[in-house]
Amino acid sequence: MTLDDLGFSTSNPSSADAIKSAHENLRLSTRSAQASLGVGLLNAGYLAACVRDEYPYERKAFYSTSPQWLPIFEPDVSQIGTLGDAILKINQSIPNYLDTDDVRRLIGI
């Protein structure tokens, strides 16, 4: 996090690239936290299913299950425009190659 994120204004405002670089570690940490949360939720679901059904399911029954997350908020909003252009060009060259679910997964909206 930058000092500006914490509410401390600095005398010299940072450039857009400097702000983006400062947020990169935070973005990567958030992605890691999402992965950890997904594993925790999967384990909680496994235990809940065992208790609910009063049956000791084998863990291998859950190996193919993976949580599906929308991408975390990216501080660089211009990336959405770039992805939109790429999606448009792909769908113009191969009609309906990327559908609504693909766009939602890629962009997160």
Side-chain angles (χ1 to χ4, degrees), residues 10-98:
T10 56
S11 59
N12 294 329
S14 300
S15 68
D17 288 336
I19 292 171
K20 184 177 178 181
S21 174
H23 286 148
E24 186 65 17
N25 287 338
L26 181 61
R27 188 182 66 79
L28 293 175
S29 296
T30 305
R31 285 189 186 270
S32 175
Q34 271 190 325
S36 297
L37 178 64
V39 171
L41 289 176
L42 183 61
N43 285 330
Y46 165 74
L47 292 173
C50 289
V51 170
R52 178 196 63 205
D53 299 340
E54 297 179 1
Y55 182 80
Y57 290 107
E58 294 183 27
R59 282 240 181 230
K60 67 181 179 181
F62 288 84
Y63 287 160
S64 63
T65 305
S66 63
Q68 184 68 37
W69 299 101
L70 292 178
I72 60 167
F73 171 75
E74 301 289 343
D76 184 15
V77 180
S78 66
Q79 182 180 15
I80 293 175
T82 304
L83 285 171
D85 284 344
I87 291 167
L88 177 67
K89 290 175 182 175
I90 290 170
N91 279 342
Q92 283 176 341
S93 61
I94 306 170
N96 299 320
Y97 182 76
L98 296 172

Side-chain angles (χ1 to χ4, degrees), residues 1-8 19 22-23 26:
M1 292 185 115
T2 63
L3 287 174
D4 290 331
D5 292 332
L6 298 173
F8 300 102
I19 292 171
H23 286 148
L26 181 61

